[in-house]
Amino acid sequence: MRKHIVAGNWKMNNTFEEADELISNIVDALEEKELDRNTQVIICPPFPYLEMATDYSKDSYFLVGAQDVSTEDKGAYTGEVSAAMLKSIELEYCIVGHSERRQYHNESNAMVAKKVDQLLKNEIRPIVCCGERLEEREADKQFEVVKQQIEEGLFHLTAEQFKELVIAYEPVWAIGTGKTATPEQAQEIHAFIRNLIAEKYGKEVAEEISILYGGSCKPSNAKEIFSKTDVDGGLIGGACLKAEDFIAIAFSF
Ligand code: 13P
């Protein structure tokens, strides 16, 4: 059975104190009710809080990820954070290619490919985002766009490397807008992605990869979206900033 994953992308939110409170509330909520063994909770706070999060995670049932990583090993890259640094504080996951980075920082598929390589080299599992913008969906180009993102960003990997990935389909028009893809729309693209992987790496690899949905996923819609065959969980933005909502989503399988 494929791993169910609920990952919280905090984006640029919370002060140190607020972060401390949110994580400790997540710890409490996970203590209260036992989560299914096949469900993995991941939190991805901003860089300054990662070490605090990994400290908390040692006594709780969640793992920690970063929101981005440098394409480079080390050196004169002011403001950047390397995969080796993330590994040195024992991070397990890192988001790559989020649409906000593609949009505001011109992150290309080629850069996504380099970041994924950096992470795999340091034994950190990439959560790779893909998804079309509104005008692309309106022009019925969602399949074409997602295919190109996956081929250019990921298809240089070997099958062994590919198995380390988590994929997140996040239609840009659904992010932070309150508009969600219908469960059918999500299923359609998730199945398309899995099929692309199967064609390149074989069915066995494709069946192992968790594909998450992201875009206004909340406690009220998670169950229906997660009920679809090829949806293995969610990458949660807004709703992950309240422990109660985030954990309710983790219990939606
Ligand atoms: P929202 O859940 O706020 O729409 O954000 C989704 C997202 O971008 C997660 O990475």
Side-chain angles (χ1 to χ4, degrees), residues 9 11 95 98 100 170 174-177 214-217 235-239:
N9 175 8
K11 308 191 181 183
I95 298 170
H98 192 280
E100 286 148 18
E170 299 204 306
I175 295 178
T177 57
S216 301
C217 190
L235 182 54
I236 318 301

Side-chain angles (χ1 to χ4, degrees), residues 51-72:
E51 211 184 344
M52 165 170 60
T54 55
D55 278 348
Y56 269 113
S57 77
K58 285 176 188 140
D59 299 313
S60 184
Y61 187 69
F62 68 85
L63 296 174
V64 185
Q67 296 175 18
D68 188 31
V69 68
S70 173
T71 52
E72 307 304 321

Side-chain angles (χ1 to χ4, degrees), residues 7-238:
N9 175 8
W10 290 23
K11 308 191 181 183
M12 196 171 72
N13 288 296
N14 289 335
T15 60
F16 186 88
E17 264 180 27
E18 288 161 350
D20 194 355
E21 191 184 342
L22 175 52
I23 302 172
S24 100
N25 287 341
I26 290 171
V27 171
D28 291 348
L30 287 173
E31 248 169 46
E32 236 167 68
K33 221 165 124 189
E34 199 175 331
L35 202 61
D36 182 280
R37 290 243 159 246
N38 195 44
T39 303
Q40 181 63 64
V41 171
I42 302 169
I43 64 167
C44 303
F47 288 127
Y49 316 138
L50 288 175
E51 211 184 344
M52 165 170 60
T54 55
D55 278 348
Y56 269 113
S57 77
K58 285 176 188 140
D59 299 313
S60 184
Y61 187 69
F62 68 85
L63 296 174
V64 185
Q67 296 175 18
D68 188 31
V69 68
S70 173
T71 52
E72 307 304 321
D73 279 330
K74 66 187 289 190
Y77 300 98
T78 303
E80 292 289 288
V81 173
S82 73
M85 292 175 188
L86 299 179
K87 186 64 188 176
S88 71
I89 57 161
E90 296 170 38
L91 286 206
E92 312 249 3
Y93 288 89
C94 181
I95 298 170
V96 184
H98 192 280
S99 61
E100 286 148 18
R101 296 220 58 93
R102 293 178 190 263
Q103 184 181 350
Y104 306 130
H105 302 273
N106 295 326
E107 194 160 303
S108 63
N109 293 332
M111 283 166 76
V112 169
K114 278 176 117 181
K115 291 182 177 194
V116 166
D117 290 345
Q118 286 290 350
L119 292 170
L120 292 175
K121 195 164 80 179
N122 286 280
E123 296 177 341
I124 296 171
R125 300 184 64 187
I127 301 173
V128 186
C129 304
C130 60
E132 79 286 357
R133 290 174 291 144
L134 181 61
E135 59 271 29
E136 293 163 338
R137 166 67 65 165
E138 283 173 348
D140 204 22
K141 287 198 165 143
Q142 63 273 24
F143 298 106
E144 198 181 307
V145 170
V146 167
K147 182 168 190 258
Q148 193 174 1
Q149 288 170 336
I150 292 199
E151 283 180 351
E152 293 181 7
L154 303 175
F155 275 8
H156 63 289
L157 299 174
T158 65
E160 277 315 301
Q161 289 176 314
F162 203 94
K163 283 186 191 170
E164 297 301 314
L165 304 181
V166 174
I167 309 249
Y169 167 65
E170 299 204 306
V172 180
W173 47 272
I175 295 178
T177 57
K179 252 197 228 171
T180 326
T182 63
E184 292 69 30
Q185 282 173 326
Q187 168 58 25
E188 189 183 32
I189 291 257
H190 283 227
F192 172 77
I193 294 170
R194 201 177 303 287
N195 194 45
L196 270 182
I197 301 169
E199 281 172 7
K200 168 85 179 169
Y201 294 104
K203 232 181 143 84
E204 192 204 322
V205 175
E207 283 303 319
E208 266 186 47
I209 304 290
S210 297
I211 307 177
L212 316 183
Y213 168 79
S216 301
C217 190
K218 40 188 184 273
S220 58
N221 60 25
K223 215 178 183 80
E224 212 190 338
I225 298 173
F226 295 174
S227 72
K228 293 293 172 189
T229 325
D230 288 292
V231 181
D232 306 307
L235 182 54
I236 318 301

